[in-house]
Amino acid sequence: MNTLRTAMLLAAMTALFMGVGYLIGGSGGMVIALLIAAGTNLFSYWNADKMVLSMNRAVEVDEKNAPEYYAIVQALAKQAGLPMPKTYLIHNPQPNAFATGRNPENAAVAASTGLLQSLSHEEVAAVMAHELAHVQHRDTLTMTIVATLAGAISMLGNFAFFLGGSRNNNNPFGFVGVLLAMIVAPFAAMIVQMAVSRTREYEADRRGAEICGNPLWLASALNKIARGAEQIPNEDAERNPAMAHLFIINPLHGERMDSLFSTHPSTENRIAALQEMARGMGGTAPANRREASPPPLQPEEPSAGPWGKPADQAPQARPAPPKPNPWGRNPTGPRNVRSKGPWS
């Protein structure tokens, strides 16, 4: 089903690309746009993940320079039955994370230093479980290719005036077609891009909660990330807004409404769905939709994530809340003074 949806989405994005080409240059422009779209699709399949990681200045880490972070991803991947993805760290104060890659065997997950510094061990695990859910559902290929094509369509629309300004370009709509390309093309690409993200985030939340074992951990993490994204700008994402739907929370400012023009569902709605899931698992959650923090539990109930729980241990009757941040000022583990990581 995901393969069919991906093929249909690529066809829709290619049609958009060709439509922009037709508005700018008529039939000739449409053929050129088709060739560009075909090349972009092929390039995106093999290289879009590398482009996304590079644009976010992500640096690969391992068990030596980021032991706790790497161990969390490793344990969760095992819990989900997935190959160990490449693990990246983004030197960015805004708490956020994303996954990319064309399939589970070539996947990568990335978290920002702001995420590791502001979230607890359990909350980080819940966020990375959400990203692994995208990998397991094979969303990463679709989302990454859409980011590349949406950016290309938007760029083509932005340059429509220069590309279609000549009178000898066989444009049947003349200057009106150029204006339509400038206005409609980025808007249409944005609509497709947003639809992809919004329909898949709820499923990734649900599966991520199953992988980490506690929906309330993810609910608490979403609340913290959303507040951090409002207060801390992400300059890399602002320069490349076509990537916004890849992140667990929209990294752009002013994009919080649960409407057609938001790349993500409302954080409050996602939290409410996770709280309802927790109640179904035997836990409790606040009645207020906007209250993301899980309720206090009895002190004697220990917190255990999937990386520390025996395989034959029965699930807890009530999900435990996340602990305070155990990492302090160096969330990636002991620093090696001889090697400079992005957090140094």
Coordinates of all heavy atoms in Angstrom, one line a residue, residues 195-278:
A195 N -0.2 17.6 3.1 CA -1.1 16.4 3.1 C -0.3 15.1 3.5 O -0.8 14.3 4.3 CB -1.8 16.2 1.8
V196 N 0.9 15.0 2.9 CA 1.7 13.8 3.2 C 2.1 13.8 4.7 O 1.9 12.7 5.3 CB 3.0 13.9 2.4 CG1 4.0 12.8 2.8 CG2 2.7 13.8 0.9
S197 N 2.5 14.9 5.2 CA 3.0 14.9 6.6 C 1.8 14.6 7.6 O 1.9 13.8 8.5 CB 3.7 16.2 7.0 OG 4.1 16.2 8.3
R198 N 0.7 15.4 7.4 CA -0.4 15.3 8.3 C -1.0 14.0 8.4 O -1.4 13.5 9.5 CB -1.4 16.4 7.9 CG -1.0 17.8 8.2 CD -1.8 18.8 7.4 NE -3.3 18.6 7.7 CZ -3.9 19.1 8.7 NH1 -3.3 19.8 9.6 NH2 -5.2 18.9 8.8
T199 N -1.1 13.2 7.3 CA -1.8 11.9 7.3 C -0.9 10.9 8.0 O -1.4 9.8 8.3 CB -2.2 11.5 5.9 OG1 -1.0 11.5 5.1 CG2 -3.2 12.4 5.3
R200 N 0.4 11.1 8.1 CA 1.3 10.1 8.6 C 1.8 10.3 10.0 O 2.3 9.4 10.6 CB 2.5 10.0 7.6 CG 2.1 9.6 6.2 CD 3.3 9.4 5.3 NE 2.8 9.1 3.9 CZ 3.3 8.2 3.1 NH1 4.3 7.5 3.5 NH2 2.8 8.1 1.9
E201 N 1.6 11.5 10.5 CA 2.2 11.8 11.8 C 1.4 11.0 12.9 O 2.0 10.5 13.9 CB 2.1 13.3 12.1 CG 3.1 14.1 11.3 CD 4.6 13.6 11.6 OE1 4.9 13.3 12.7 OE2 5.3 13.5 10.6
Y202 N 0.1 10.9 12.8 CA -0.7 10.2 13.8 C -0.3 8.8 13.9 O -0.2 8.2 15.0 CB -2.2 10.3 13.5 CG -2.8 11.7 13.8 CD1 -3.3 12.5 12.8 CD2 -2.8 12.2 15.1 CE1 -3.9 13.7 13.1 CE2 -3.4 13.4 15.5 CZ -3.9 14.2 14.4 OH -4.5 15.4 14.7
E203 N -0.1 8.1 12.7 CA 0.3 6.7 12.7 C 1.7 6.5 13.3 O 1.9 5.6 14.0 CB 0.2 6.2 11.3 CG -1.1 5.7 10.8 CD -1.6 4.6 11.7 OE1 -0.9 3.5 11.9 OE2 -2.7 4.7 12.3
A204 N 2.6 7.5 13.0 CA 3.9 7.4 13.6 C 3.9 7.6 15.1 O 4.6 7.0 15.8 CB 4.8 8.4 12.9
D205 N 3.0 8.5 15.6 CA 2.8 8.7 17.0 C 2.4 7.4 17.7 O 2.9 6.9 18.7 CB 1.8 9.8 17.3 CG 2.4 11.2 17.0 OD1 3.6 11.3 16.9 OD2 1.6 12.1 17.0
R206 N 1.4 6.7 17.1 CA 0.8 5.5 17.6 C 1.9 4.4 17.7 O 2.1 3.8 18.7 CB -0.4 5.1 16.8 CG -1.1 3.8 17.3 CD -2.0 3.2 16.3 NE -1.4 2.8 15.1 CZ -0.7 1.7 15.0 NH1 -0.5 0.9 16.0 NH2 -0.1 1.4 13.8
R207 N 2.5 4.2 16.6 CA 3.5 3.1 16.5 C 4.7 3.4 17.4 O 5.3 2.6 18.0 CB 4.0 2.9 15.1 CG 5.0 1.8 14.9 CD 4.6 0.5 15.5 NE 5.6 -0.5 15.4 CZ 5.8 -1.5 16.2 NH1 4.9 -1.7 17.3 NH2 6.7 -2.4 16.1
G208 N 5.1 4.7 17.4 CA 6.2 5.1 18.2 C 6.0 4.9 19.7 O 6.8 4.4 20.5
A209 N 4.7 5.1 20.1 CA 4.3 4.9 21.5 C 4.4 3.4 21.8 O 4.8 3.0 22.9 CB 2.9 5.4 21.8
E210 N 4.0 2.5 20.8 CA 4.1 1.1 21.0 C 5.5 0.6 21.2 O 5.9 -0.2 22.0 CB 3.4 0.4 19.9 CG 1.9 0.6 19.8 CD 1.3 -0.1 18.6 OE1 2.1 -0.5 17.7 OE2 0.1 -0.1 18.5
I211 N 6.4 1.2 20.4 CA 7.8 0.8 20.4 C 8.5 1.2 21.7 O 9.2 0.4 22.3 CB 8.6 1.4 19.2 CG1 8.1 0.9 17.9 CG2 10.1 1.2 19.4 CD1 8.7 1.6 16.7
C212 N 8.3 2.4 22.2 CA 8.9 2.8 23.4 C 8.1 2.3 24.7 O 8.7 2.3 25.8 CB 9.0 4.3 23.5 SG 7.5 5.3 23.8
G213 N 6.9 1.9 24.5 CA 6.1 1.3 25.6 C 5.3 2.3 26.4 O 4.6 1.8 27.4
N214 N 5.3 3.6 26.1 CA 4.6 4.5 26.9 C 4.1 5.7 26.1 O 4.9 6.6 25.8 CB 5.5 5.0 28.1 CG 4.7 5.7 29.2 OD1 3.7 6.4 28.9 ND2 5.1 5.6 30.4
P215 N 2.8 5.8 25.8 CA 2.4 7.0 25.0 C 2.6 8.3 25.7 O 2.8 9.4 25.0 CB 0.9 6.7 24.9 CG 0.7 5.3 25.1 CD 1.8 4.9 26.1
L216 N 2.6 8.3 27.0 CA 2.7 9.6 27.8 C 4.1 10.2 27.7 O 4.3 11.4 27.8 CB 2.3 9.4 29.2 CG 0.9 9.0 29.5 CD1 0.6 8.9 31.0 CD2 -0.1 10.1 28.8
W217 N 5.1 9.3 27.5 CA 6.5 9.9 27.2 C 6.5 10.7 25.9 O 7.1 11.8 25.9 CB 7.5 8.7 27.1 CG 7.7 7.9 28.3 CD1 7.2 8.2 29.6 CD2 8.4 6.7 28.4 NE1 7.6 7.2 30.5 CE2 8.4 6.3 29.8 CE3 9.2 5.9 27.6 CZ2 9.0 5.2 30.3 CZ3 9.8 4.8 28.0 CH2 9.7 4.4 29.4
L218 N 5.8 10.2 24.9 CA 5.8 11.0 23.6 C 4.9 12.2 23.8 O 5.3 13.2 23.2 CB 5.3 10.1 22.5 CG 5.3 10.7 21.1 CD1 6.7 11.2 20.7 CD2 4.8 9.7 20.1
A219 N 3.8 12.1 24.5 CA 3.0 13.3 24.7 C 3.8 14.4 25.4 O 3.7 15.5 25.0 CB 1.7 12.9 25.5
S220 N 4.5 14.0 26.4 CA 5.3 15.0 27.2 C 6.4 15.6 26.3 O 6.6 16.8 26.3 CB 5.9 14.4 28.4 OG 6.7 15.3 29.1
A221 N 7.0 14.7 25.4 CA 8.1 15.2 24.6 C 7.5 16.2 23.5 O 8.1 17.2 23.2 CB 8.7 14.0 23.9
L222 N 6.4 15.8 22.9 CA 5.8 16.7 21.9 C 5.5 18.1 22.5 O 5.7 19.1 21.8 CB 4.5 16.1 21.4 CG 4.6 14.9 20.5 CD1 3.3 14.3 20.1 CD2 5.4 15.2 19.2
N223 N 5.0 18.1 23.7 CA 4.7 19.4 24.4 C 6.0 20.3 24.5 O 6.0 21.4 24.2 CB 4.0 19.2 25.7 CG 3.6 20.5 26.4 OD1 3.0 21.3 25.8 ND2 4.1 20.6 27.7
K224 N 7.0 19.6 25.0 CA 8.3 20.4 25.2 C 8.9 20.8 23.8 O 9.4 21.9 23.7 CB 9.3 19.5 25.9 CG 9.0 19.2 27.4 CD 10.1 18.4 28.0 CE 9.8 18.2 29.5 NZ 10.9 17.4 30.2
I225 N 8.8 19.9 22.8 CA 9.4 20.3 21.5 C 8.6 21.4 20.9 O 9.2 22.4 20.3 CB 9.4 19.1 20.6 CG1 10.3 18.0 21.2 CG2 9.9 19.5 19.2 CD1 10.2 16.7 20.4
A226 N 7.3 21.4 21.0 CA 6.4 22.5 20.4 C 6.7 23.8 21.1 O 6.8 24.8 20.4 CB 5.0 22.1 20.6
R227 N 6.9 23.8 22.4 CA 7.2 25.1 23.1 C 8.6 25.5 22.7 O 8.8 26.8 22.5 CB 7.1 24.9 24.6 CG 5.7 24.7 25.1 CD 5.6 24.6 26.6 NE 6.4 23.5 27.1 CZ 6.6 23.1 28.4 NH1 6.0 23.8 29.3 NH2 7.3 22.1 28.7
G228 N 9.5 24.6 22.6 CA 10.9 25.0 22.2 C 10.9 25.6 20.7 O 11.6 26.5 20.5
A229 N 10.1 24.9 19.8 CA 10.1 25.4 18.4 C 9.5 26.8 18.3 O 9.9 27.6 17.4 CB 9.3 24.4 17.6
E230 N 8.6 27.1 19.2 CA 8.0 28.5 19.2 C 9.0 29.5 19.7 O 9.0 30.7 19.2 CB 6.8 28.5 20.2 CG 5.6 27.7 19.7 CD 4.5 27.6 20.7 OE1 4.6 28.4 21.7 OE2 3.6 26.8 20.6
Q231 N 9.9 29.1 20.6 CA 10.8 30.1 21.2 C 12.1 30.2 20.5 O 12.8 31.3 20.6 CB 10.9 29.8 22.7 CG 9.6 29.8 23.5 CD 9.8 29.2 24.9 OE1 10.9 28.8 25.3 NE2 8.7 29.1 25.6
I232 N 12.6 29.1 19.9 CA 13.9 29.0 19.4 C 13.8 28.9 17.9 O 13.3 27.9 17.4 CB 14.7 27.9 20.0 CG1 14.7 28.0 21.5 CG2 16.1 27.8 19.5 CD1 15.3 26.8 22.2
P233 N 14.4 29.8 17.1 CA 14.3 29.6 15.6 C 15.3 28.6 15.1 O 16.3 28.3 15.8 CB 14.7 31.0 15.1 CG 15.6 31.6 16.3 CD 15.0 31.0 17.5
N234 N 14.9 28.0 14.0 CA 15.8 27.0 13.4 C 16.1 27.6 12.0 O 15.4 27.5 11.1 CB 15.0 25.7 13.2 CG 15.9 24.6 12.6 OD1 16.8 24.8 11.8 ND2 15.6 23.3 12.9
E235 N 17.3 28.2 12.0 CA 17.7 29.0 10.8 C 17.9 28.1 9.5 O 17.5 28.5 8.4 CB 19.0 29.7 11.1 CG 18.8 30.8 12.1 CD 20.1 31.5 12.4 OE1 21.2 31.2 11.7 OE2 20.2 32.4 13.3
D236 N 18.3 26.9 9.7 CA 18.5 26.0 8.6 C 17.1 25.6 8.0 O 17.0 25.6 6.7 CB 19.2 24.7 9.0 CG 20.7 25.0 9.4 OD1 21.3 25.9 8.8 OD2 21.2 24.3 10.3
A237 N 16.2 25.3 8.8 CA 14.8 25.0 8.3 C 14.2 26.2 7.7 O 13.4 26.1 6.7 CB 14.0 24.5 9.5
E238 N 14.4 27.4 8.3 CA 13.8 28.6 7.7 C 14.4 28.9 6.3 O 13.6 29.4 5.4 CB 14.1 29.8 8.6 CG 13.5 29.8 10.0 CD 12.0 30.0 10.0 OE1 11.5 30.4 8.9 OE2 11.4 29.7 11.0
R239 N 15.6 28.5 6.1 CA 16.2 28.7 4.7 C 15.7 27.7 3.7 O 15.7 27.9 2.5 CB 17.7 28.7 4.8 CG 18.4 29.9 5.4 CD 19.9 29.9 5.1 NE 20.5 28.8 5.9 CZ 21.1 28.9 7.0 NH1 21.0 30.1 7.7 NH2 21.7 27.9 7.6
N240 N 15.3 26.5 4.2 CA 14.8 25.4 3.4 C 13.4 24.9 3.9 O 13.3 23.8 4.4 CB 15.8 24.3 3.4 CG 17.2 24.7 2.9 OD1 17.4 24.9 1.7 ND2 18.1 24.9 3.9
P241 N 12.4 25.7 3.8 CA 11.1 25.4 4.3 C 10.5 24.1 3.8 O 9.6 23.6 4.4 CB 10.2 26.6 4.1 CG 10.9 27.3 2.9 CD 12.3 27.1 3.1
A242 N 10.9 23.7 2.6 CA 10.4 22.5 2.0 C 10.7 21.2 2.9 O 10.1 20.2 2.7 CB 10.9 22.3 0.6
M243 N 11.6 21.4 3.8 CA 12.0 20.2 4.7 C 11.2 20.2 5.9 O 11.3 19.3 6.7 CB 13.5 20.3 5.1 CG 14.5 20.3 4.0 SD 16.1 20.2 4.6 CE 16.2 21.7 5.6
A244 N 10.3 21.2 6.2 CA 9.6 21.3 7.5 C 8.8 20.1 7.8 O 8.8 19.7 9.0 CB 8.7 22.5 7.5
H245 N 8.2 19.4 6.9 CA 7.3 18.3 7.2 C 8.1 17.0 7.6 O 7.5 16.1 8.2 CB 6.5 17.9 6.0 CG 7.2 17.3 4.8 ND1 8.1 18.1 4.0 CD2 7.3 16.0 4.4 CE1 8.6 17.3 3.1 NE2 8.2 16.0 3.3
L246 N 9.5 17.0 7.5 CA 10.3 15.9 7.9 C 10.4 15.8 9.4 O 10.5 14.8 10.0 CB 11.7 16.0 7.3 CG 11.8 15.8 5.8 CD1 13.2 16.1 5.3 CD2 11.4 14.4 5.3
F247 N 10.3 17.0 10.1 CA 10.6 17.0 11.5 C 9.4 16.5 12.3 O 8.2 16.6 11.8 CB 10.9 18.5 11.9 CG 12.3 18.9 11.5 CD1 12.4 19.5 10.2 CD2 13.4 18.9 12.3 CE1 13.7 19.9 9.7 CE2 14.6 19.3 11.9 CZ 14.7 19.8 10.6
I248 N 9.6 16.1 13.5 CA 8.5 15.6 14.4 C 7.5 16.7 14.8 O 6.3 16.5 14.9 CB 9.1 14.9 15.6 CG1 7.9 14.2 16.4 CG2 9.8 15.9 16.5 CD1 8.4 13.4 17.6
I249 N 8.1 18.0 14.9 CA 7.3 19.2 15.1 C 7.7 20.2 14.1 O 8.9 20.3 13.8 CB 7.5 19.7 16.5 CG1 6.8 18.8 17.6 CG2 6.9 21.1 16.7 CD1 5.3 18.8 17.6
N250 N 6.8 20.9 13.5 CA 7.1 22.0 12.5 C 8.2 22.9 13.1 O 7.9 23.6 14.1 CB 5.9 22.7 12.2 CG 6.1 23.6 10.9 OD1 7.2 23.9 10.5 ND2 5.0 24.0 10.3
P251 N 9.3 23.0 12.4 CA 10.4 23.9 13.0 C 10.2 25.3 12.6 O 11.0 26.2 13.1 CB 11.7 23.3 12.3 CG 11.2 22.8 11.0 CD 9.8 22.2 11.3
L252 N 9.3 25.7 11.7 CA 9.1 27.0 11.3 C 8.2 27.8 12.3 O 7.3 27.2 12.9 CB 8.4 27.0 9.9 CG 9.2 26.2 8.8 CD1 8.4 26.3 7.5 CD2 10.6 26.7 8.7
H253 N 8.3 29.1 12.4 CA 7.5 29.9 13.2 C 6.2 30.2 12.6 O 6.0 30.3 11.4 CB 8.2 31.2 13.6 CG 9.3 31.1 14.6 ND1 10.0 32.1 15.0 CD2 9.8 30.0 15.2 CE1 10.9 31.7 15.9 NE2 10.8 30.4 16.0
G254 N 5.1 30.3 13.4 CA 3.8 30.7 13.0 C 3.0 29.6 12.2 O 2.2 29.9 11.4
E255 N 3.3 28.3 12.4 CA 2.7 27.2 11.7 C 2.1 26.2 12.7 O 2.3 25.0 12.6 CB 3.7 26.5 10.8 CG 4.3 27.4 9.7 CD 3.3 27.8 8.6 OE1 2.2 27.1 8.5 OE2 3.5 28.7 7.9
R256 N 1.2 26.6 13.6 CA 0.7 25.7 14.6 C -0.7 25.3 14.4 O -1.2 24.4 15.1 CB 0.9 26.4 16.0 CG 2.3 26.7 16.4 CD 2.4 27.1 17.8 NE 1.6 28.3 18.1 CZ 0.8 28.4 19.1 NH1 0.5 27.4 19.9 NH2 0.1 29.5 19.3
M257 N -1.5 26.0 13.5 CA -2.9 25.7 13.4 C -3.1 24.3 12.8 O -2.4 23.9 11.8 CB -3.6 26.7 12.6 CG -3.6 28.1 13.3 SD -4.6 29.3 12.3 CE -3.7 29.3 10.8
D258 N -4.1 23.6 13.3 CA -4.5 22.3 12.7 C -5.4 22.6 11.5 O -6.6 22.4 11.6 CB -5.2 21.4 13.7 CG -5.3 20.0 13.2 OD1 -4.7 19.7 12.2 OD2 -6.1 19.3 13.8
S259 N -4.9 23.0 10.4 CA -5.6 23.4 9.2 C -4.9 23.0 8.0 O -3.9 22.3 8.0 CB -5.8 25.0 9.2 OG -4.5 25.6 8.9
L260 N -5.5 23.3 6.8 CA -4.9 22.9 5.6 C -3.5 23.5 5.4 O -2.7 22.9 4.6 CB -5.8 23.4 4.4 CG -5.5 23.0 3.0 CD1 -5.5 21.5 2.8 CD2 -6.4 23.7 2.0
F261 N -3.2 24.6 6.1 CA -2.0 25.3 5.8 C -0.9 25.0 6.9 O 0.0 25.7 7.1 CB -2.2 26.8 5.8 CG -3.2 27.1 4.7 CD1 -4.5 27.4 5.0 CD2 -2.8 27.2 3.4 CE1 -5.5 27.7 4.0 CE2 -3.8 27.5 2.4 CZ -5.1 27.8 2.7
S262 N -1.0 23.9 7.6 CA 0.0 23.4 8.5 C 0.6 22.1 8.1 O -0.1 21.2 7.6 CB -0.7 23.3 9.9 OG 0.3 22.7 10.8
T263 N 1.9 22.1 8.2 CA 2.6 20.8 7.8 C 2.4 19.7 8.7 O 2.7 18.6 8.4 CB 4.1 21.1 7.6 OG1 4.7 21.5 8.9 CG2 4.4 22.1 6.6
H264 N 1.9 20.0 9.9 CA 1.7 19.0 10.9 C 0.3 19.1 11.6 O -0.2 20.2 11.6 CB 2.8 19.1 12.1 CG 4.2 18.8 11.6 ND1 4.9 19.6 10.8 CD2 5.0 17.7 12.0 CE1 6.1 19.1 10.6 NE2 6.2 17.9 11.3
P265 N -0.2 18.0 12.1 CA -1.4 18.1 12.8 C -1.2 19.0 14.1 O 0.0 19.1 14.5 CB -1.8 16.7 13.2 CG -1.0 15.8 12.3 CD 0.3 16.6 12.0
S266 N -2.2 19.5 14.7 CA -2.1 20.2 15.9 C -1.4 19.4 17.0 O -1.8 18.2 17.2 CB -3.5 20.6 16.4 OG -3.5 21.0 17.7
T267 N -0.5 20.0 17.7 CA 0.2 19.3 18.7 C -0.8 18.9 19.8 O -0.7 17.8 20.4 CB 1.3 20.2 19.3 OG1 2.2 20.5 18.3 CG2 2.1 19.4 20.4
E268 N -1.7 19.7 20.1 CA -2.7 19.4 21.1 C -3.5 18.2 20.7 O -3.8 17.3 21.6 CB -3.7 20.6 21.4 CG -3.0 21.8 22.1 CD -2.3 22.7 21.1 OE1 -2.2 22.4 19.9 OE2 -1.8 23.8 21.6
N269 N -3.9 18.1 19.5 CA -4.6 16.9 19.0 C -3.8 15.6 19.1 O -4.3 14.6 19.4 CB -5.1 17.1 17.6 CG -6.2 18.2 17.5 OD1 -6.7 18.6 18.6 ND2 -6.6 18.6 16.3
R270 N -2.5 15.8 18.7 CA -1.6 14.6 18.8 C -1.5 14.1 20.3 O -1.5 12.9 20.6 CB -0.3 14.9 18.2 CG -0.3 15.2 16.7 CD 1.0 15.7 16.2 NE 2.1 14.7 16.2 CZ 3.3 15.0 15.9 NH1 3.6 16.2 15.5 NH2 4.2 14.1 15.9
I271 N -1.3 15.1 21.2 CA -1.2 14.8 22.6 C -2.5 14.1 23.1 O -2.4 13.1 23.9 CB -0.9 16.0 23.4 CG1 0.6 16.5 23.1 CG2 -1.0 15.8 24.9 CD1 0.9 17.8 23.7
A272 N -3.6 14.7 22.7 CA -4.9 14.1 23.1 C -5.0 12.6 22.7 O -5.5 11.8 23.4 CB -6.0 14.9 22.6
A273 N -4.6 12.3 21.4 CA -4.7 11.0 20.9 C -3.7 10.1 21.7 O -4.1 8.9 22.0 CB -4.3 11.0 19.4
L274 N -2.6 10.5 22.1 CA -1.6 9.7 22.9 C -2.2 9.5 24.3 O -2.0 8.4 24.8 CB -0.3 10.4 22.9 CG 0.5 10.4 21.6 CD1 1.7 11.4 21.6 CD2 1.0 9.0 21.3
Q275 N -2.8 10.5 24.9 CA -3.4 10.3 26.2 C -4.5 9.3 26.2 O -4.7 8.5 27.1 CB -3.9 11.7 26.7 CG -2.7 12.6 27.0 CD -3.2 14.0 27.3 OE1 -4.4 14.4 27.1 NE2 -2.3 14.9 27.9
E276 N -5.3 9.3 25.1 CA -6.4 8.4 24.9 C -5.8 7.0 24.8 O -6.3 6.0 25.3 CB -7.2 8.7 23.7 CG -8.4 7.8 23.5 CD -9.4 7.8 24.6 OE1 -9.5 8.9 25.3 OE2 -10.1 6.8 24.8
M277 N -4.7 6.9 24.1 CA -4.0 5.6 23.9 C -3.5 5.1 25.2 O -3.6 3.9 25.5 CB -2.9 5.7 22.9 CG -2.1 4.4 22.6 SD -0.8 4.7 21.4 CE -0.1 3.1 21.3
A278 N -3.0 6.0 26.1 CA -2.5 5.6 27.4 C -3.6 5.1 28.3 O -3.4 4.1 29.0 CB -1.8 6.8 28.1

